[in-house]
Amino acid sequence: MSQTAELKEREQKLQGMGTSLLRKEDARFIRGQGSYVADIKMPGMLFGAIVRSPYAHARIKGIDKAKALACPGVVAVLTAADLKPVKLDWMPTVGGDVQAVLADQKVHFQYQDVAMVLATDRAAAYDGVALVEVDYEELPAIVDPKKALLKDAPVLREDIVDKKDLTHGPRTHPNHIFTWEAGDKAAADAAFKNAPITVREEILNPRVHPCPLETCGCVASFNKATGYLTLYVTTQIPHLFRTVLAMLSGIAESKIRVVGGDIGGGFGNKVPVYPGYVVATVASIVTGVPVKWIESRIDNISTTGFARDYHGVGELAADKDGRIKGLRFTALADHGAFNSHVSATKFPAGLFSICTGSYAIPNTYCRVDAVFTNKAPGGVAYRCSLRVTEAIYLIERMMDVLAQKVGVDKAEIRRRNFVKAEQFPYTTGFGWTLDSGNYHAALDKVLKAVDYEGLRREQAAKRADPKSPTLMGIGISTFTEIVGAGPTKVCDILGVGLFDSCEIRVHPTGGVIARLGTMTQGQGHSTTYAQIIATELGLPASDIVVEEGDTDKAPYGAGTWGSRSTPVSGAATAVAARKIKDKAKKIAAHLLEVAEGDLEWEIDRFKVKGNPSQFKTMKELCLVSHTGNLPAGMEQGLNAVAYYDPPNLTFPFGAYLCVVDIDKFTGEVKVRRFYALDDCGTRINPMIIDGQVHGGLTEAFAVAMGQQLPFDESGNHLGNSLMDYFLPTAVETPAWETDHTVTPCPHHPLGAKGVAESPHVGGIPCFSNAVIDAFAHLGVTHMDMPHSAYRVWQKCNALGLNKR
Amino acid sequence: MIPAAFDYHAPRSVADAIKLLGQLGPEAKLLAGGHSLLPMMKLRFAQPAHLVDLGRIAELRGISQVGNEIRIGAMTTEHELLSSKLLAEKAPLLVEGAGWIADPQVRYKGTIGGDISHGDPANDHPALMIALDASFVLTGPKGERVVKADGYFLGLYSTQLAADEILTQIRIPVPAAGSGWSYQKLKRKTGDFATAATAVMLQMKGKSVAKAAIGLTNAGPTVLKAREAEAYLAGKEINDASLNEAARLAMKICNPTPDQRGDADYKRAMCGEMTRRALQAAHARAKA
Ligand SMILES: Cc1cc2nc3c(=O)[nH]c(=O)nc-3n(C[C@H](O)[C@H](O)[C@H](O)COP(=O)(O)OP(=O)(O)OC[C@H]3O[C@@H](n4cnc5c(N)ncnc54)[C@H](O)[C@@H]3O)c2cc1C
């Protein structure tokens, strides 16, 4: 065997970074061997089912449990009054508000939790639910956030009516939560005053729901004898969850064990702590037996963390060539009935100020006003970092609006405004330091791959032909994401910094166990982390086991959301592995009787420089590290823990292009082509990246084309089952073409950035831009998502395009 | 999401099933594939005290030709319709229509008899039955009666079936050789009911229409037979003008219910559009 062939074979054996190793977790999942919360059965376990409000806004005048308690199998019915003695009828939220665990005197949204029926089996629990009699007095509801701050608007939150401030500045109205601003208003206003070109557009991100396949649920098990509480729960944040439970319950954090288990998708929906978990926990503490609570699909869509509901207004000021001189973005945020919107303490509007996107824009100002309405609380980051989809949707839509006004091509307007490759690191008007990027190159690669000019020519021909039964639209999105929260100096939740951790234990024969503070929900962590360690330590990925989610086993971390696993925990993994490697090197030097400086690393071994026959493989060193043959004073073992506090967030970017054909007569939008180029820096497992991009694009397609939570004027849900709520299947999902460039992150130990959210954040505006572009020649600049056939037909009809 | 308690009965013959219906009275419901009934029970919109499962009655299954008639047992599943060689050859409209129903999982369980009996104007079989001029065999304590699909559907969830009767068989006259057919359905996604859909059977004589049969799905409280459009088309050539007029006449009788699929205007327009496309497609397939 030649020397290079031998090296290659050794490298391939590791299946480390850069290889498309099949996902280790799939063997279990595709055989139906996953273990989800709903699968857990414990002796004596009770089932909890929730009585929910039929009204969006009503006073509770009485709750009669008698009939339910008489129902066979029903053990107890818990209401707010029962939670009061243990002070768990209300709970604090991460947004600085309080939230009713079970409705106390009033219900504030339809399907709000009013009582929990405990029974010996699930069917009996639901029989009991049907028998709990609640006497309601219906009140006028606020559904439209634009009406929340009217003078005569009904006051929703009587419980906090005297509170001048919900930790984010003064409140101006009983239904006002906060007003948050960033940037320089005076400078922006001046830029608009002097600009030859200004554009303004209302841009809505409607209320949607992440709708993971597995709904939320838990099994709470309190052992009265030991005082230990174990909670098996659908959570993306097991460690923070345990901290919250300790704060809420008063049980020592050391006596609480939170177990994530297998999670059937999260997409932000499994970040919050929901009332159902809390009531089930109280129920177990009171009864001393395990209590299981599992949501139905309707419960999940109606009550748990929704996303978006951002009613934005975008404004850009530009010179006559379309070079942007000022930006003003505002949003009215509908946070529902309680401010339990998920956010880091210092960012009540999330990372909305990333809204300058990929562009060099001076004179920037943004503001978010958050209000209460009679809708479910929350506001989670649905496959994105907090409020990043909203921000990027605004800027990517506004770039198109500007291009139309200036009369230049939509690719060209982007080129004129991109931050240039040589400008990195580039600090935006809002103060974010974009660490790296190469936007022009990415866009040019995509335009070339799809023959952009050919597409535009085809479109022009279609537009010129009045007989064409279809409209053609071309959408571009050149987004920059912000992921990997985050540096503890700016990012915390409830005072806990958003670092993350990895503990690696290497065993004598080279088998490795790595435990992390993150929580996989389908991202392929067991594979990706193993590959990082494989490359760093020269041990095969197949022998590396990754464990997450059990707070008794894993070191503390902030969990998985906001594409933070690779940027933060991936970095922690590399750092921990390098600590081990450093120690191994010392042992190798000791064994080979050379100085450390005389050694060099090669794939899976330390070699003596200039004397390649002298080496120690990592596998040998694993065993030796468990013997007495160590450098003087060195302890046995090859273990390490790393807590990683990232110096900055990471800024993955991409260039997407979408071609749609619209049936003028039905309004159906067919995605002919979608080309997605992503740059997430160093690529650890290209197959997993592709899979994440496919999934993210599919969810972007879902949001842009069909997802919305509709309500009537009384606050009744009009589409909370999968009959109406759009979850695309393989049949309606377009075929994705993926591509990449690699611009490593300069501050990450591996050069990696997050990727799983980019396709969602970048995809949504790309679809919208394509649909609206189909009408652009008719002067259209505004169409709200979702672009359902019905909506698009209305546009065709209004423009008279469907005349025969 | 958990139904209320009920008793379960599994008779082995039609006679036993009818006897059970008589004994149990109005609290009993027939269970076929369960894909309309069970969702309603899970939501507790329906809370029957007894379910009489027709699933073990062999005589209710199967597809055959007797004389000039195709006979389909009520418990024949959509999947079985889709894989029937006889239907593909003699009544391909039914195969095309069944393929538009729900998704494969539902089609393995859902039955043609259940789809018809549910009396939901959003279901696809009623319009197919209208276009195919089908008849239904209803079996009760006093024996059998045969009623025409045209006139069978009385209103939302309401048909001519009496409480003690079972739909046992669907009878379809074998369409004339050379007939054209099409089912055009607009829906939002896999597994969705129609925003609008139209079933067409078309016989041509030379260049003109000899006979058109048109059924409209989800255009009103029951399936609608587009009589005026059918009458108008007789003797006409299929061209832009006649298609437009037939679509207009179909739209005229629509009274769709607004929902998340769209408002009444959109649904009416889509009924016209589907009618137009179904006629066009049927015309392309028809042999004079
Ligand atoms: C996700 C989903 C999507 C769907 N999409 C569509 C669609 O696109 N198009 C469509 O047409 N349907 C659709 N359906 C409905 C589906 O086709 C049902 O299977 C069908 O409507 C009912 O047939 P069944 O055999 O399941 O009947 P069941 O649900 O068992 O019964 C339905 C009703 O008919 C009665 N019944 C059943 N059999 C008889 C009989 N022989 N005699 C008298 N009464 C009887 C029952 O008592 C009950 O009232 C969908 C269902 C689901 C769950």
Side-chain angles (χ1 to χ4, degrees):
Chain A
M1 208 187 302
S2 78
Q3 208 201 337
T4 44
E6 190 250 5
L7 288 179
K8 210 165 171 191
E9 191 187 315
R10 267 164 50 205
E11 179 141 23
Q12 271 168 359
K13 259 197 197 131
L14 300 180
Q15 305 254 41
M17 290 187 13
T19 58
S20 284
L21 173 61
L22 290 182
R23 300 200 332 164
K24 288 159 161 273
E25 40 275 88
D26 287 349
R28 219 155 46 76
F29 291 143
I30 61 175
R31 288 182 174 87
Q33 305 277 306
S35 172
Y36 298 88
V37 170
D39 296 324
I40 295 172
K41 292 194 181 86
M42 296 177 85
M45 183 168 77
L46 296 177
F47 291 77
I50 290 179
V51 178
R52 297 189 178 279
S53 169
Y55 299 111
H57 195 197
R59 219 170 284 290
I60 297 177
K61 296 169 70 185
I63 301 179
D64 187 349
K65 310 176 180 176
K67 283 194 186 134
L69 287 171
C71 177
V74 171
V75 173
V77 178
L78 299 179
T79 63
D82 301 299
L83 301 181
K84 247 179 208 140
V86 286
K87 297 205 176 68
L88 280 172
D89 48 336
W90 288 81
M91 61 180 178
T93 71
V94 289
D97 190 9
V98 288
Q99 173 177 3
V101 175
L102 291 174
D104 186 13
Q105 298 173 52
K106 256 176 90 170
V107 286
H108 289 94
F109 61 96
Q110 196 191 26
Y111 293 96
Q112 187 178 345
D113 320 59
V114 175
M116 184 183 269
V117 176
L118 295 171
T120 48
D121 65 77
R122 203 170 172 201
Y126 276 93
D127 287 342
V129 165
L131 293 170
V132 174
E133 292 176 345
V134 186
D135 186 10
Y136 296 101
E137 177 194 329
E138 202 182 349
L139 299 169
I142 299 177
V143 179
D144 179 356
K146 290 181 177 143
K147 295 186 179 154
L149 300 185
L150 296 181
K151 248 212 194 95
D152 54 351
V155 173
L156 305 191
R157 294 288 304 285
E158 290 164 354
D159 59 298
I160 50 163
V161 83
D162 298 329
K163 274 198 127 178
K164 299 268 176 290
D165 168 340
L166 287 171
T167 70
H168 299 300
R171 300 206 298 149
T172 57
H173 185 286
N175 297 329
H176 178 231
I177 304 174
F178 64 75
T179 292
W180 170 89
E181 295 175 290
D184 184 340
K185 184 161 192 311
D189 289 349
F192 275 80
K193 222 171 177 178
N194 303 325
I197 288 184
T198 61
V199 284
R200 179 184 187 279
E201 197 57 64
E202 291 187 13
I203 290 173
L204 173 68
N205 279 272
R207 182 172 275 239
V208 294
H209 195 279
C211 202
L213 283 188
E214 179 202 31
T215 61
C216 298
C218 69
V219 175
S221 176
F222 183 72
N223 184 322
K224 282 195 172 179
T226 60
Y228 275 73
L229 172 68
T230 306
L231 190 75
Y232 301 89
V233 62
T234 48
T235 185
Q236 300 174 226
I237 53 159
H239 303 273
L240 282 171
F241 199 115
R242 181 182 53 176
T243 300
V244 171
L245 269 185
M247 288 175 175
L248 286 177
S249 68
I251 300 173
E253 204 165 346
S254 49
K255 292 187 177 178
I256 302 175
R257 178 178 168 218
V258 170
V259 185
D262 287 332
I263 307 279
F267 314 113
N269 182 247
K270 287 170 182 162
V271 171
V273 173
Y274 294 119
Y277 303 145
V278 176
V279 189
T281 302
V282 174
S284 180
I285 292 172
V286 172
T287 59
V289 294
V291 173
K292 185 179 206 169
W293 166 71
I294 304 287
E295 276 179 347
S296 70
R297 177 64 56 192
I298 289 177
D299 293 346
N300 180 251
I301 296 181
S302 314
T303 70
T304 60
F306 73 93
R308 322 276 148 81
D309 220 340
Y310 251 40
H311 303 245
V313 176
E315 288 181 285
L316 294 176
D319 67 15
K320 61 176 191 354
D321 299 323
R323 289 195 171 77
I324 304 172
K325 300 298 175 199
L327 171 151
R328 283 192 304 227
F329 283 2
T330 61
L332 176 65
D334 181 341
H335 280 210
F338 306 101
N339 190 31
S340 55
H341 157 66
V342 175
S343 67
T345 309
K346 295 194 185 74
F347 298 100
L351 307 177
F352 186 69
S353 61
I354 194 65
C355 60
T356 50
S358 307
Y359 312 102
I361 304 179
N363 308 313
T364 57
Y365 169 72
C366 69
R367 192 183 86 210
V368 175
D369 298 287
V371 299
F372 290 121
T373 62
N374 289 112
K375 294 185 211 155
V380 299
Y382 170 7
R383 206 174 183 133
C384 62
S385 289
L386 309 158
R387 300 305 186 192
V388 173
T389 303
E390 291 89 330
I392 299 305
Y393 191 69
L394 253 161
I395 184 66
E396 285 304 310
R397 279 292 308 121
M398 288 311 296
M399 293 309 286
D400 272 24
V401 173
L402 180 63
Q404 280 176 237
K405 178 84 178 249
V406 178
V408 301
D409 180 84
K410 288 166 179 167
E412 178 56 26
I413 196 83
R414 290 173 161 82
R415 277 201 204 95
R416 285 185 193 172
N417 287 289
F418 276 150
V419 176
K420 298 186 187 72
E422 60 273 19
Q423 286 176 285
F424 290 96
Y426 175 86
T427 300
T428 72
F430 290 116
W432 296 109
T433 299
L434 310 181
D435 55 29
S436 57
N438 194 351
Y439 303 151
H440 285 93
L443 177 59
D444 289 346
K445 193 172 182 203
V446 171
L447 297 182
K448 199 160 165 226
V450 301
D451 180 19
Y452 181 63
E453 271 153 31
L455 288 170
R456 285 291 179 203
R457 276 196 299 276
E458 184 191 344
Q459 183 185 45
K462 278 231 164 86
R463 286 177 172 175
D465 172 13
K467 285 229 176 70
S468 169
T470 57
L471 297 165
M472 177 177 166
I474 303 167
I476 299 175
S477 155
T478 47
F479 62 94
T480 289
E481 255 258 82
I482 174 167
V483 306
T488 57
K489 61 180 185 290
V490 286
C491 297
D492 78 275
I493 287 179
L494 296 170
V496 177
L498 300 181
F499 64 89
D500 225 292
S501 61
C502 176
E503 180 203 284
I504 301 177
R505 292 189 200 170
V506 180
H507 301 298
T509 57
V512 176
I513 291 184
R515 293 182 168 135
L516 296 102
T518 44
M519 178 75 238
T520 188
Q521 311 126 45
Q523 291 90 337
H525 287 182
S526 298
T527 313
T528 298
Y529 292 141
Q531 289 181 276
I532 294 174
I533 297 170
T535 296
E536 291 289 337
L537 291 185
L539 294 168
S542 56
D543 297 345
I544 300 169
V545 171
V546 172
E547 292 185 351
E548 302 171 290
D550 184 337
T551 55
D552 269 8
K553 291 186 183 171
Y556 202 101
T560 294
W561 46 271
S563 272
R564 64 187 298 286
S565 299
T566 297
V568 190
S569 296
T573 306
V575 172
R578 285 171 193 180
K579 288 184 187 176
I580 289 171
K581 196 166 158 187
D582 285 348
K583 183 171 179 185
K585 192 176 187 183
K586 289 195 171 68
I587 300 172
H590 164 76
L591 296 177
L592 295 165
E593 298 181 356
V594 294
E596 272 186 70
D598 294 332
L599 291 176
E600 62 184 354
W601 175 255
E602 184 193 78
I603 300 170
D604 56 359
R605 63 194 56 182
F606 288 104
K607 293 194 313 189
V608 176
K609 284 179 196 162
N611 189 358
S613 64
Q614 288 281 60
F615 62 85
K616 288 287 166 195
T617 67
M618 197 64 194
K619 216 155 184 166
E620 292 173 278
L621 295 169
C622 291
L623 186 59
V624 176
S625 70
H626 289 79
T627 66
N629 189 10
L630 296 174
M634 183 182 273
E635 293 177 357
Q636 274 81 10
L638 268 185
N639 304 329
V641 190
Y643 290 85
Y644 187 79
D645 183 0
N648 190 1
L649 289 105
T650 72
F651 300 88
F653 62 94
Y656 292 175
L657 189 137
C658 172
V659 184
V660 298
D661 296 300
I662 295 175
D663 185 325
K664 288 178 180 173
F665 303 101
T666 62
E668 285 173 294
V669 178
K670 201 163 170 281
V671 177
R672 186 202 304 182
R673 195 158 185 198
F674 198 104
Y675 196 95
L677 178 148
D678 275 285
D679 191 319
C680 59
T682 304
R683 294 159 63 82
I684 297 166
N685 181 320
M687 181 203 68
I688 287 185
I689 292 172
D690 256 3
Q692 292 296 312
V693 171
H694 283 197
L697 289 174
T698 303
E699 282 186 323
F701 171 72
V703 167
M705 296 304 177
Q707 294 190 336
Q708 183 174 22
L709 298 180
F711 294 86
D712 70 11
E713 283 176 6
S714 312
N716 295 308
H717 250 286
L718 298 176
N720 57 2
S721 79
L722 295 185
M723 168 70 76
D724 288 306
Y725 197 70
F726 180 49
L727 275 197
T729 69
V731 175
E732 39 276 319
T733 302
W736 311 117
E737 299 171 74
T738 56
D739 195 352
H740 63 272
T741 53
V742 178
T743 311
C745 172
H747 65 73
H748 186 279
L750 304 168
K753 311 174 182 183
V755 75
E757 300 175 341
S758 292
H760 191 72
V761 169
I764 297 171
C766 194
F767 288 111
S768 273
N769 284 349
V771 171
I772 299 169
D773 182 65
F775 296 90
H777 59 303
L778 304 167
V780 174
T781 56
H782 178 108
M783 285 170 77
D784 281 335
M785 291 188 284
H787 306 292
S788 63
Y790 169 38
R791 290 253 182 102
V792 174
W793 176 85
Q794 285 178 310
K795 186 56 97 189
C796 292
N797 195 41
L799 295 169
L801 300 174
N802 59 344
K803 295 251 154 52
R804 293 238 191 231
Chain B
M1 289 302 102
I2 304 278
F6 56 86
D7 284 335
Y8 174 82
H9 309 265
R12 303 297 165 112
S13 69
V14 172
D16 283 353
I18 291 169
K19 214 179 286 164
L20 270 169
L21 280 185
Q23 285 163 8
L24 301 170
E27 290 292 282
K29 264 269 170 210
L30 295 171
L31 173 68
H35 273 292
S36 289
L37 182 56
L38 296 186
M40 295 183 95
M41 287 171 62
K42 286 185 174 184
L43 292 166
R44 298 197 179 211
F45 293 156
Q47 302 200 13
H50 301 274
L51 283 187
V52 178
D53 186 353
L54 301 177
R56 300 194 192 181
I57 304 177
E59 59 192 290
L60 287 177
R61 285 191 118 96
I63 306 169
S64 60
Q65 182 171 354
V66 176
N68 204 26
E69 205 169 59
I70 293 166
R71 298 187 168 182
I72 305 173
M75 286 299 290
T76 306
T77 64
E78 308 295 352
H79 176 73
E80 286 161 352
L81 299 182
L82 280 173
S83 29
S84 160
K85 282 213 182 76
L86 178 65
L87 290 181
E89 194 187 320
K90 299 281 171 65
L93 175 65
L94 195 50
V95 180
E96 180 164 280
W100 279 101
I101 292 177
D103 52 47
Q105 284 99 319
V106 173
R107 294 196 294 257
Y108 284 126
K109 291 297 285 181
T111 67
I112 182 170
D115 196 280
I116 292 166
S117 303
H118 194 47
D120 186 339
N123 274 4
D124 293 303
H125 276 301
L128 300 169
M129 296 298 110
I130 294 284
L132 288 165
D133 193 25
S135 300
F136 304 140
V137 180
L138 310 181
T139 311
K142 291 187 218 112
E144 283 184 5
R145 58 183 179 124
V146 181
V147 298
K148 284 276 210 187
D150 182 11
Y152 180 72
F153 302 96
L154 304 176
L156 186 62
Y157 304 134
S158 157
T159 67
Q160 287 192 29
L161 187 87
D164 57 359
E165 283 179 322
I166 296 173
L167 166 62
T168 46
Q169 197 178 68
I170 290 93
R171 294 184 179 171
I172 298 170
V174 174
S179 296
W181 76 92
S182 178
Y183 191 57
Q184 294 287 323
K185 176 173 173 178
L186 178 68
K187 57 180 183 173
R188 297 171 297 178
K189 55 175 180 173
T190 307
D192 195 18
F193 291 90
T195 304
T198 301
V200 165
M201 288 297 300
L202 190 69
Q203 285 175 43
M204 299 299 291
K205 193 170 172 210
K207 289 203 145 187
S208 2
V209 172
K211 195 177 164 206
I214 305 175
L216 309 178
T217 297
N218 223 0
T222 70
V223 58
L224 299 178
K225 184 168 167 65
R227 285 177 220 284
E228 285 180 56
E230 291 174 356
Y232 162 79
L233 283 169
K236 300 271 183 334
E237 288 188 18
I238 296 288
N239 53 33
D240 264 353
S242 65
L243 287 171
N244 283 346
E245 181 60 8
R248 191 188 69 80
L249 291 169
M251 284 162 65
K252 215 178 80 180
I253 61 167
C254 285
N255 183 17
T257 314
D259 58 21
Q260 291 305 305
R261 295 177 184 86
D263 63 9
D265 284 348
Y266 177 57
K267 289 184 162 189
R268 200 174 297 114
M270 290 310 99
C271 174
E273 192 59 33
M274 293 302 111
T275 301
R276 195 175 207 287
R277 292 182 187 192
L279 283 166
Q280 246 169 345
H283 181 233
R285 284 163 166 168
K287 294 184 195 81

